[in-house]
Coordinates of all heavy atoms in Angstrom, one line a residue:
V202 N -67.6 130.4 41.1 CA -66.2 130.6 41.4 C -65.3 129.5 40.9 O -64.2 129.7 40.3 CB -65.9 130.8 43.0 CG1 -64.5 130.9 43.3 CG2 -66.7 132.0 43.5
S203 N -65.8 128.3 41.0 CA -65.1 127.1 40.5 C -65.8 126.6 39.2 O -67.0 126.5 39.2 CB -65.0 126.0 41.5 OG -64.5 124.8 40.9
H204 N -65.0 126.4 38.1 CA -65.6 125.9 36.9 C -65.3 124.5 36.6 O -65.5 124.0 35.5 CB -65.2 126.8 35.7 CG -65.6 128.2 35.8 ND1 -65.0 129.2 36.6 CD2 -66.7 128.9 35.2 CE1 -65.7 130.3 36.5 NE2 -66.7 130.2 35.7
T205 N -64.7 123.8 37.6 CA -64.2 122.4 37.3 C -65.3 121.4 37.8 O -65.7 121.4 38.9 CB -62.9 122.2 38.1 OG1 -62.0 123.2 37.7 CG2 -62.4 120.8 37.7
S206 N -65.7 120.6 36.8 CA -66.5 119.4 37.2 C -65.7 118.2 37.5 O -64.5 118.1 37.0 CB -67.5 119.1 36.0 OG -68.3 120.2 35.7
G207 N -66.2 117.3 38.3 CA -65.4 116.1 38.6 C -66.0 115.2 39.6 O -67.0 115.6 40.3
Y208 N -65.4 114.0 39.8 CA -65.9 113.1 40.8 C -65.3 113.4 42.1 O -64.1 113.7 42.2 CB -65.5 111.7 40.3 CG -66.1 110.6 41.2 CD1 -67.4 110.1 40.9 CD2 -65.4 110.0 42.3 CE1 -68.0 109.1 41.7 CE2 -66.0 109.0 43.0 CZ -67.3 108.6 42.8 OH -67.8 107.6 43.5
K209 N -66.1 113.4 43.2 CA -65.7 113.7 44.5 C -66.1 112.6 45.5 O -67.1 111.9 45.3 CB -66.2 115.0 45.0 CG -65.8 116.2 44.1 CD -66.3 117.5 44.7 CE -65.8 118.7 43.8 NZ -66.2 120.0 44.4
W210 N -65.4 112.5 46.6 CA -65.7 111.6 47.7 C -65.7 112.4 49.0 O -64.7 113.0 49.3 CB -64.7 110.5 47.8 CG -64.9 109.6 48.9 CD1 -64.4 109.7 50.2 CD2 -65.8 108.4 49.0 NE1 -64.8 108.7 51.0 CE2 -65.7 107.9 50.3 CE3 -66.6 107.8 48.0 CZ2 -66.4 106.7 50.6 CZ3 -67.3 106.7 48.4 CH2 -67.2 106.2 49.7
D211 N -66.9 112.4 49.7 CA -67.0 113.2 50.9 C -68.2 112.6 51.7 O -69.1 112.1 51.1 CB -67.2 114.7 50.6 CG -67.1 115.5 51.8 OD1 -66.5 115.1 52.8 OD2 -67.5 116.7 51.8
L212 N -68.1 112.7 53.0 CA -69.2 112.3 53.9 C -69.5 110.8 53.7 O -70.7 110.4 53.9 CB -70.4 113.2 53.7 CG -70.2 114.7 53.9 CD1 -71.5 115.4 53.4 CD2 -70.0 115.0 55.4
G213 N -68.6 110.0 53.3 CA -68.8 108.6 53.1 C -69.5 108.2 51.8 O -69.9 107.0 51.6
I214 N -69.7 109.1 50.9 CA -70.4 108.8 49.6 C -69.6 109.4 48.5 O -68.9 110.4 48.6 CB -71.8 109.3 49.5 CG1 -71.9 110.8 49.7 CG2 -72.7 108.6 50.5 CD1 -73.3 111.4 49.4
G215 N -69.7 108.8 47.3 CA -69.1 109.4 46.1 C -70.1 110.0 45.2 O -71.2 109.4 45.1
Y216 N -69.8 111.1 44.5 CA -70.7 111.7 43.7 C -70.0 112.5 42.6 O -68.8 112.8 42.7 CB -71.7 112.6 44.4 CG -71.0 113.7 45.2 CD1 -70.8 115.0 44.6 CD2 -70.5 113.5 46.5 CE1 -70.2 116.0 45.3 CE2 -69.9 114.5 47.2 CZ -69.7 115.8 46.6 OH -69.1 116.8 47.3
Y217 N -70.7 112.8 41.5 CA -70.1 113.6 40.4 C -70.8 115.0 40.5 O -72.0 115.1 40.4 CB -70.3 112.9 39.1 CG -69.6 113.6 38.0 CD1 -68.3 113.3 37.7 CD2 -70.2 114.6 37.2 CE1 -67.6 114.0 36.6 CE2 -69.6 115.3 36.2 CZ -68.2 114.9 35.9 OH -67.6 115.6 34.9
E218 N -69.9 116.0 40.6 CA -70.4 117.4 40.6 C -70.2 118.0 39.2 O -69.0 118.0 38.7 CB -69.7 118.2 41.6 CG -70.2 119.6 41.7 CD -69.4 120.5 42.7 OE1 -68.2 120.1 43.1 OE2 -69.9 121.5 43.2
E219 N -71.2 118.5 38.6 CA -71.2 119.0 37.3 C -71.5 120.5 37.3 O -72.6 120.9 37.8 CB -72.1 118.3 36.3 CG -72.1 118.8 34.9 CD -73.2 118.2 34.0 OE1 -74.3 118.1 34.5 OE2 -72.9 117.9 32.9
I220 N -70.6 121.4 36.9 CA -70.9 122.8 36.8 C -71.3 123.2 35.4 O -70.6 123.0 34.5 CB -69.6 123.6 37.2 CG1 -69.0 123.1 38.5 CG2 -69.9 125.1 37.3 CD1 -69.9 123.3 39.7
R221 N -72.5 123.8 35.3 CA -73.1 124.2 34.1 C -73.4 125.7 34.1 O -73.4 126.3 35.2 CB -74.3 123.3 33.7 CG -74.0 121.9 33.6 CD -75.2 121.1 33.0 NE -75.5 121.5 31.7 CZ -75.0 120.9 30.6 NH1 -74.2 119.9 30.7 NH2 -75.4 121.3 29.4
D222 N -73.8 126.2 32.9 CA -74.1 127.6 32.9 C -75.3 128.0 33.7 O -75.5 129.1 34.2 CB -74.4 128.0 31.4 CG -73.1 128.0 30.6 OD1 -72.0 128.0 31.1 OD2 -73.3 127.9 29.3
S223 N -76.3 127.0 33.8 CA -77.5 127.3 34.5 C -77.5 126.9 36.0 O -78.5 127.2 36.7 CB -78.7 126.6 33.8 OG -78.4 125.2 33.7
G224 N -76.5 126.2 36.4 CA -76.5 125.7 37.8 C -75.5 124.6 38.1 O -74.7 124.3 37.2
A225 N -75.7 124.0 39.2 CA -74.8 122.8 39.6 C -75.6 121.6 39.7 O -76.8 121.6 40.2 CB -74.2 123.1 41.0
N226 N -75.1 120.5 39.2 CA -75.7 119.2 39.2 C -74.9 118.2 40.1 O -73.6 118.2 40.0 CB -75.9 118.6 37.8 CG -76.9 119.4 37.0 OD1 -78.0 119.5 37.4 ND2 -76.5 119.9 35.8
Y227 N -75.5 117.4 40.8 CA -74.9 116.3 41.6 C -75.5 115.0 41.3 O -76.7 114.8 41.4 CB -75.0 116.6 43.1 CG -74.4 117.9 43.6 CD1 -75.1 119.1 43.5 CD2 -73.1 118.0 44.1 CE1 -74.6 120.3 43.9 CE2 -72.5 119.2 44.5 CZ -73.3 120.3 44.4 OH -72.7 121.5 44.8
F228 N -74.7 114.0 40.9 CA -75.2 112.7 40.5 C -74.6 111.7 41.5 O -73.4 111.6 41.7 CB -74.7 112.4 39.1 CG -75.3 113.3 38.0 CD1 -74.5 114.4 37.6 CD2 -76.6 113.1 37.5 CE1 -75.0 115.3 36.6 CE2 -77.1 114.0 36.5 CZ -76.3 115.1 36.1
F229 N -75.6 110.9 42.0 CA -75.2 109.9 43.0 C -75.5 108.5 42.5 O -76.7 108.2 42.1 CB -76.0 110.1 44.3 CG -75.8 111.5 44.9 CD1 -76.7 112.5 44.6 CD2 -74.8 111.8 45.8 CE1 -76.6 113.7 45.1 CE2 -74.7 113.1 46.3 CZ -75.6 114.0 46.0
E230 N -74.5 107.7 42.3 CA -74.8 106.3 41.9 C -75.4 105.5 43.1 O -76.2 104.6 42.9 CB -73.5 105.6 41.5 CG -73.7 104.2 40.9 CD -72.4 103.7 40.4 OE1 -71.5 104.4 40.1 OE2 -72.3 102.4 40.2
R231 N -75.0 105.9 44.3 CA -75.5 105.3 45.5 C -75.7 106.3 46.6 O -74.7 107.1 46.9 CB -74.5 104.2 46.0 CG -74.9 103.5 47.3 CD -73.9 102.4 47.6 NE -74.2 101.9 49.0 CZ -73.6 102.4 50.1 NH1 -72.7 103.4 50.0 NH2 -73.8 101.9 51.3
L232 N -76.9 106.4 47.2 CA -77.2 107.4 48.2 C -77.8 106.7 49.4 O -79.0 106.4 49.5 CB -78.2 108.4 47.7 CG -78.5 109.6 48.6 CD1 -77.2 110.5 48.8 CD2 -79.6 110.5 48.0
P233 N -76.9 106.4 50.4 CA -77.4 105.7 51.6 C -78.3 106.6 52.5 O -78.3 107.8 52.4 CB -76.2 105.3 52.4 CG -75.0 105.5 51.4 CD -75.5 106.6 50.5
T234 N -79.1 106.0 53.4 CA -80.0 106.7 54.3 C -79.1 107.7 55.1 O -78.1 107.3 55.7 CB -80.7 105.8 55.2 OG1 -81.5 104.9 54.4 CG2 -81.7 106.5 56.1
G235 N -79.5 108.9 55.3 CA -78.8 109.9 56.1 C -79.0 111.3 55.6 O -79.9 111.6 54.8
E236 N -78.2 112.2 56.1 CA -78.2 113.6 55.8 C -76.9 114.1 55.3 O -75.9 113.8 55.9 CB -78.7 114.5 56.9 CG -78.9 115.9 56.6 CD -79.7 116.7 57.7 OE1 -80.1 116.1 58.7 OE2 -79.8 117.9 57.5
Y237 N -76.8 114.8 54.2 CA -75.6 115.2 53.6 C -75.6 116.7 53.2 O -76.7 117.2 52.9 CB -75.3 114.4 52.3 CG -75.4 112.9 52.5 CD1 -76.6 112.2 52.3 CD2 -74.3 112.2 53.0 CE1 -76.7 110.8 52.6 CE2 -74.4 110.8 53.2 CZ -75.6 110.1 53.0 OH -75.7 108.8 53.2
S238 N -74.4 117.3 53.3 CA -74.3 118.8 53.0 C -73.4 119.0 51.9 O -72.3 118.3 51.8 CB -73.9 119.5 54.3 OG -74.8 119.4 55.3
F239 N -73.7 119.9 51.0 CA -72.8 120.3 49.9 C -72.8 121.8 49.8 O -73.7 122.5 50.2 CB -73.4 119.7 48.6 CG -73.7 118.3 48.6 CD1 -75.0 117.8 49.0 CD2 -72.7 117.3 48.4 CE1 -75.3 116.5 49.1 CE2 -73.0 116.0 48.5 CZ -74.3 115.5 48.8
K240 N -71.7 122.4 49.3 CA -71.6 123.8 49.1 C -70.8 124.2 47.9 O -70.0 123.4 47.4 CB -71.0 124.4 50.4 CG -69.6 123.9 50.7 CD -69.0 124.5 52.0 CE -67.6 124.1 52.3 NZ -67.1 124.6 53.5
Y241 N -71.1 125.3 47.4 CA -70.4 125.9 46.3 C -70.5 127.4 46.4 O -71.3 128.0 47.1 CB -70.9 125.4 44.9 CG -72.3 125.7 44.6 CD1 -72.7 126.9 43.9 CD2 -73.4 124.8 45.0 CE1 -74.0 127.2 43.7 CE2 -74.7 125.1 44.7 CZ -75.0 126.3 44.0 OH -76.3 126.6 43.8
R242 N -69.6 128.1 45.7 CA -69.5 129.6 45.8 C -69.9 130.3 44.4 O -69.6 129.7 43.4 CB -68.2 130.0 46.2 CG -67.9 129.6 47.7 CD -66.4 129.8 48.1 NE -66.2 129.3 49.4 CZ -65.0 129.3 50.0 NH1 -63.9 129.7 49.3 NH2 -64.8 128.8 51.2
L243 N -70.5 131.4 44.6 CA -70.9 132.3 43.4 C -70.3 133.7 43.6 O -70.0 134.1 44.7 CB -72.4 132.4 43.3 CG -73.2 131.1 43.2 CD1 -74.7 131.4 43.3 CD2 -72.8 130.3 42.0
R244 N -70.2 134.4 42.5 CA -69.8 135.8 42.5 C -70.8 136.6 41.7 O -71.2 136.2 40.6 CB -68.4 136.0 41.9 CG -67.8 137.4 42.1 CD -66.5 137.5 41.5 NE -65.5 136.7 42.1 CZ -64.8 137.0 43.2 NH1 -65.1 138.2 43.8 NH2 -63.9 136.2 43.7
A245 N -71.3 137.7 42.3 CA -72.2 138.5 41.6 C -71.5 139.3 40.5 O -70.5 140.0 40.7 CB -72.9 139.5 42.6
T246 N -72.1 139.3 39.3 CA -71.4 139.9 38.1 C -72.2 140.9 37.4 O -71.7 141.7 36.6 CB -71.0 138.8 37.1 OG1 -72.1 138.1 36.7 CG2 -70.0 137.8 37.7
T247 N -73.5 140.9 37.6 CA -74.4 141.8 36.9 C -75.5 142.4 37.8 O -76.0 141.6 38.6 CB -75.1 141.0 35.7 OG1 -74.2 140.3 34.9 CG2 -75.9 141.9 34.8
A248 N -75.7 143.6 37.6 CA -76.8 144.3 38.5 C -78.2 143.9 38.0 O -78.4 143.7 36.8 CB -76.6 145.8 38.4
G249 N -79.1 143.8 38.9 CA -80.5 143.5 38.5 C -81.1 142.6 39.6 O -80.5 142.3 40.6
Q250 N -82.4 142.2 39.3 CA -83.1 141.3 40.2 C -83.2 140.0 39.5 O -83.7 139.9 38.4 CB -84.5 141.9 40.5 CG -85.2 141.2 41.6 CD -86.5 141.8 42.0 OE1 -87.5 141.7 41.2 NE2 -86.6 142.5 43.1
F251 N -82.8 138.9 40.2 CA -82.7 137.6 39.6 C -83.4 136.6 40.4 O -83.3 136.5 41.6 CB -81.2 137.2 39.4 CG -80.4 138.2 38.6 CD1 -79.6 139.1 39.3 CD2 -80.5 138.2 37.3 CE1 -78.9 140.0 38.6 CE2 -79.7 139.2 36.6 CZ -78.9 140.1 37.2
R252 N -84.3 135.8 39.7 CA -85.0 134.7 40.4 C -84.2 133.5 40.3 O -83.6 133.1 39.3 CB -86.3 134.5 39.6 CG -87.3 135.7 39.7 CD -88.3 135.6 38.7 NE -89.1 134.4 38.7 CZ -90.2 134.1 39.4 NH1 -90.6 135.1 40.2 NH2 -90.8 133.0 39.4
T253 N -84.1 132.8 41.5 CA -83.4 131.5 41.6 C -84.4 130.4 41.8 O -85.0 130.4 42.9 CB -82.3 131.5 42.7 OG1 -81.4 132.7 42.5 CG2 -81.5 130.3 42.7
A254 N -84.5 129.5 40.8 CA -85.5 128.4 41.0 C -85.1 127.5 42.1 O -83.9 127.5 42.5 CB -85.5 127.7 39.6

Side-chain angles (χ1 to χ4, degrees):
V202 173
S203 172
H204 295 80
T205 304
S206 301
Y208 188 84
K209 296 183 178 181
W210 176 268
D211 191 16
L212 302 172
I214 59 170
Y216 59 93
Y217 187 86
E218 182 182 24
E219 181 188 42
I220 308 299
R221 298 186 66 89
D222 292 339
S223 57
N226 292 304
Y227 299 85
F228 298 96
F229 306 91
E230 184 175 343
R231 175 178 172 270
L232 186 64
T234 302
E236 185 169 355
Y237 307 93
S238 299
F239 310 94
K240 62 182 179 181
Y241 60 92
R242 293 173 183 171
L243 305 174
R244 188 181 296 276
T246 58
T247 308
Q250 190 177 75
F251 304 99
R252 295 161 56 87
T253 305

